[in-house]
Amino acid sequence: VHASPTRLAWYPFDIPKDTISVDFVDGLKTLAGNGDPTFREGLAIHMYLANTSMKNKAFCNNDGDFLILPQLGRLDIQTEFGKYVF
């Protein structure tokens, strides 16, 4: 896969059909990365798609910050700090 280093935007992934359930964790895709994990430095760019709730799953990111923006629809995020609805 060719990736341009000057890419400013990515086209969205196709939204899965209603017959296929994809939650946030299953729909998280890594597009690019830079750095070295042995030095604990770097960054990664991810996109996600989801059409169902995570139900009895949890996602933990101990190592960095996440900026989560929906392409369409609403997000209901529940954290240890409370609920966020976007």
Side-chain angles (χ1 to χ4, degrees), residues 4-81:
S4 172
T6 58
R7 186 84 188 240
L8 299 177
W10 287 269
Y11 295 111
F13 293 117
D14 292 332
I15 296 174
K17 297 176 181 164
D18 291 336
T19 57
I20 301 171
S21 295
V22 179
D23 64 20
F24 178 78
V25 174
D26 294 333
L28 194 62
K29 308 294 180 200
T30 303
L31 298 179
N34 185 22
D36 188 344
T38 57
F39 294 120
R40 296 183 181 180
E41 293 179 349
L43 62 92
I45 298 169
H46 311 282
M47 286 182 76
Y48 77 96
L49 54 97
N51 65 358
T52 189
S53 175
M54 287 176 46
K55 296 182 183 158
N56 293 324
K57 286 186 180 179
F59 176 77
C60 182
N61 178 16
N62 290 331
D63 161 82
D65 298 320
F66 255 38
L67 173 63
I68 303 173
L69 302 171
Q71 175 183 325
L72 62 101
R74 295 179 57 149
L75 290 176
D76 177 7
I77 300 174
Q78 299 177 21
T79 74
E80 66 274 17
F81 300 114

